[in-house]
Amino acid sequence: MAFGRDPGDGGYVLHVDLVVRWPGVSPDVADPLLEEADALCPYAKMAWQGTPTTITFAP
């Protein structure tokens, strides 16, 4: 995971790299499964589509 500045708005941005090691499984088998997992995984969805956020001031 990396943390830095977003050049688009000057705010902050996180970047996540995930490496899957799957001994004994060929790329031909793993690639479509990882693509499907990426589409279904709530953490991947959060990373790609954003996370609903509420900011509330509590005096």
Side-chain angles (χ1 to χ4, degrees), residues 22-35:
W22 204 346
V25 177
S26 74
D28 292 336
V29 172
D31 287 344
L33 294 172
L34 293 175
E35 286 179 26

Side-chain angles (χ1 to χ4, degrees), residues 12-50:
Y12 293 98
V13 66
L14 293 175
H15 181 86
V16 178
D17 292 305
L18 178 64
V19 177
V20 176
R21 287 180 173 58
W22 204 346
V25 177
S26 74
D28 292 336
V29 172
D31 287 344
L33 294 172
L34 293 175
E35 286 179 26
E36 186 174 347
D38 186 41
L40 297 174
C41 173
Y43 295 104
K45 187 183 275 188
M46 176 186 66
W48 289 110
Q49 297 178 3

